[in-house]
Amino acid sequence: MTTPTTRILTVLLALGLTTTPGHAAAQTDATKLTLASAVSRALAGGPDVTTARANLQKAQANLRAVRADPTSIITTLTQAEQDNAAAAVTLDGTKLNVAQTVIGQYLAAYEANGRIDLNSAQAALDRRNLQIAQARLAAKVATQLDVNRAQTSLNSDTQELADAQAQLPVLKSQLARSLGLPTGTALTLADPPAPPKLDASLATLQAGLEKRLPSLSQASNGLSLATLQVKLSDNDYTPTRTLEDARTAQANAQRGLDDAVKAAGTGVRDAYRAVQNAQEGVDIARQQRTNAQTTLSQARARLKAGTAAAVEVQQAEVQAQQTDFAVTQASDGLWKALAALGAASGVDVTGLAK
């Protein structure tokens, strides 16, 4: 007799919909990311952005309620308007900060992968050098110290490889948390693209900071409210002391805003210089990679001509791989510098925090 459960299983098997628990988990947990998609995911559903977005919605609702209330006084309305504006600036600033965090975490995990490959190649070269040292010792053209040094080098690079392998899942787990992904999600990271060219001038990025940075926006709103209090107190029915206190508060708020703007401008300048330095670092790393590739080509030619040993080519290959990784690190450093400049200036110069 065919039961309903049997019929359901038969249909599922016919459609190819049944699967093993492990296979289902693999389908659920595996996530492929690019640098852009990682940032987009964090901005769309990351915890920090979600909170900031909810606060903005709350401020917007409060402003609508205050405006609709005919009994609302001007200070209450002004405060509600400022809270709404501040929440909007905070949301934008949070997006830039989250983008900076995710970019840094993505690149750290990506570099860990590259470091594993490089350390593996270095360990392979160390093993070959150890074999050569042992052979030379047997032929009595090397000492035990030479063997010991080769062994120490192998041990050191093997430990670095183990450290890199242990660090990779930790870095990926940190990235997954920032993206709001479940614990244990397996991440596959694509190669990051080349960083964009910085087109904005320093003067442009330093202008209007009080309208873009949450801390400066708050200070600017405080000054506006203090100025309003002076205006409301400057009459013949408010005690003179109240007016004096309001003017003192206004002067303090102005000084606080001026100091904050100056400090923020300095921060933008430093971040801008860091981007320029990072770009120079990329150029230098690329030049060194070109030199290493030339050395490798020469080593291979010498091997073919019989004037170099295979281990010399292997050494040149590892050196070339090292310069490749150095270019990756320099490029990642430029990405991080751009993200830091965006957070400092309130302007997205990475093109990712949209």
Side-chain angles (χ1 to χ4, degrees):
M1 178 177 179
T2 303
T3 65
T5 301
T6 303
R7 287 196 296 272
I8 292 173
L9 290 174
T10 300
V11 172
L12 290 175
L13 288 170
L15 294 176
L17 297 179
T18 58
T19 184
T20 63
H23 182 61
Q27 288 181 325
T28 301
D29 294 342
T31 301
K32 295 182 179 179
L33 294 173
T34 64
L35 182 59
S37 69
V39 174
S40 295
R41 183 186 288 265
L43 298 186
D48 291 342
V49 176
T50 299
T51 299
R53 190 176 289 117
N55 288 337
L56 174 58
Q57 293 170 347
K58 179 180 177 181
Q60 290 171 335
N62 180 64
L63 178 58
R64 287 193 296 269
V66 171
R67 284 175 173 171
D69 185 354
T71 64
S72 296
I73 60 176
I74 188 171
T75 52
T76 301
L77 177 59
T78 299
Q79 187 66 64
E81 290 174 341
Q82 290 184 347
D83 289 345
N84 180 68
V89 173
T90 297
L91 175 58
D92 291 339
T94 300
K95 287 181 178 180
L96 291 172
N97 288 330
V98 167
Q100 181 184 13
T101 297
V102 170
I103 288 171
Q105 291 176 336
Y106 186 102
L107 297 177
Y110 177 79
E111 284 185 18
N113 266 323
R115 189 171 288 106
I116 289 173
D117 294 339
L118 179 59
N119 288 340
S120 296
Q122 183 64 57
L125 176 60
D126 290 339
R127 282 190 290 272
R128 180 56 180 154
N129 286 332
L130 176 59
Q131 292 170 352
I132 292 173
Q134 290 170 337
R136 288 171 60 83
L137 176 63
K140 297 184 178 180
V141 292
T143 66
Q144 183 62 46
L145 179 59
D146 296 323
V147 175
N148 293 345
R149 286 172 175 168
Q151 183 66 63
T152 300
S153 180
L154 174 59
N155 292 344
S156 176
D157 288 324
T158 300
Q159 182 59 49
E160 287 186 14
L161 173 59
D163 290 343
Q165 290 171 330
Q167 188 180 30
L168 179 58
V170 175
L171 295 173
K172 285 188 174 182
S173 177
Q174 293 172 348
L175 175 60
R177 283 199 299 271
S178 294
L179 302 185
L181 295 172
T183 301
T185 300
L187 301 181
T188 300
L189 307 182
D191 296 345
K197 181 180 179 181
L198 179 59
D199 293 326
S201 67
L202 176 59
T204 298
L205 295 176
Q206 287 179 320
L209 289 174
E210 67 277 7
K211 298 179 180 179
R212 299 193 303 269
L213 300 186
S215 60
L216 297 189
S217 175
Q218 183 178 6
S220 180
N221 288 341
L223 175 60
S224 297
L225 190 59
T227 301
L228 176 61
Q229 292 291 354
V230 170
K231 180 179 179 180
L232 296 176
S233 301
D234 191 6
N235 51 61
D236 58 1
Y237 53 83
T238 299
T240 302
R241 184 62 186 175
T242 300
L243 176 58
E244 291 176 352
D245 290 345
R247 286 174 173 166
T248 299
Q250 180 188 33
N252 291 338
Q254 183 66 65
R255 280 192 297 271
L257 176 59
D258 291 342
D259 291 343
V261 168
K262 186 180 298 183
T266 299
V268 172
R269 184 191 63 209
D270 293 343
Y272 194 90
R273 185 184 300 114
V275 170
Q276 294 176 322
N277 292 340
Q279 181 61 68
E280 293 176 1
V282 172
D283 295 339
I284 293 172
R286 287 173 177 167
Q287 293 169 4
Q288 292 173 336
R289 179 176 62 182
T290 299
N291 294 339
Q293 289 294 338
T294 300
T295 300
L296 175 58
S297 298
Q298 292 174 345
R300 286 171 174 169
R302 290 173 56 224
L303 176 65
K304 186 175 181 180
T307 58
V311 69
E312 294 179 68
V313 175
Q314 187 176 1
Q315 177 67 48
E317 288 173 343
V318 171
Q319 290 175 344
Q321 190 170 347
Q322 288 173 337
T323 58
D324 281 339
F325 186 61
V327 170
T328 295
Q329 289 181 305
S331 180
D332 291 351
L334 179 53
W335 268 116
K336 295 173 186 177
L338 288 168
L341 177 59
S345 65
V347 177
D348 175 32
V349 293
T350 67
L352 300 178
K354 300 178 180 178

